[in-house]
Amino acid sequence: EGLRKLRQVGAALDPSGFSAVRYLWRGMHKMRLDESFIRLGGTELAPMSTTTDKAVALKYAGAESPLVFKYKTRGLGRGVSIRYLSVYPREEEYLYPPLTFLQPEGKPKVARGVTVVEVTPQMS
């Protein structure tokens, strides 16, 4: 409920930025995609942290089987910026609530050993 209220505040403070498309990133270490996720999507049961900085996500993904999610966000599909709460204030972090559904957009791309999957998050 708190994240929902913070999204409303963000929309009121910056209406044009709220509706603009913005990409966020999330790195996953030693993870592999399964075919059902590619076809159907999936729900994350825990809160999810994302960043505006692809390099930060790549760092979290590590060197062994790196997987990076590229979140295509806008409006109510964007998490909440918690930059003001972060231990790393220079890192712009966006938080998503538990049970956020991730819908893959197209096939994963592999470049330099890193698998990148573009997803559209959906929150209830």
Side-chain angles (χ1 to χ4, degrees):
E1 184 64 30
L3 292 178
R4 185 175 296 163
K5 288 180 180 181
L6 286 171
R7 276 195 322 229
Q8 291 170 348
V9 169
L13 291 174
D14 184 13
S16 61
F18 183 75
S19 61
V21 172
R22 186 169 198 180
Y23 290 97
L24 302 174
W25 304 89
R26 182 173 188 224
M28 306 289 288
H29 184 66
K30 293 185 181 177
M31 297 294 288
R32 296 199 188 281
L33 291 171
D34 84 13
E35 202 53 44
S36 66
F37 178 83
I38 304 296
R39 284 185 288 106
L40 305 171
T43 301
E44 175 59 69
L45 300 178
M48 291 186 292
S49 177
T50 61
T51 178
T52 57
D53 189 342
K54 184 179 180 181
V56 170
L58 287 168
K59 190 170 148 184
Y60 278 100
E64 189 178 328
S65 301
L67 172 63
V68 174
F69 287 100
K70 179 181 180 182
Y71 288 55
K72 182 178 181 181
T73 71
R74 93 167 45 137
L76 293 175
R78 185 173 302 133
V80 174
S81 174
I82 58 168
R83 182 180 199 173
Y84 64 97
L85 297 172
S86 181
V87 175
Y88 307 102
R90 284 182 239 124
E91 180 185 323
E92 185 140 4
E93 182 178 356
Y94 283 76
L95 186 64
Y96 282 85
L99 303 179
T100 298
F101 180 76
L102 299 177
Q103 178 66 57
E105 303 293 332
K107 296 191 179 213
K109 296 179 175 123
V110 179
R112 292 183 230 158
V114 178
T115 302
V116 178
V117 183
E118 186 170 321
V119 295
T120 300
Q122 299 171 16
M123 298 173 276
S124 57

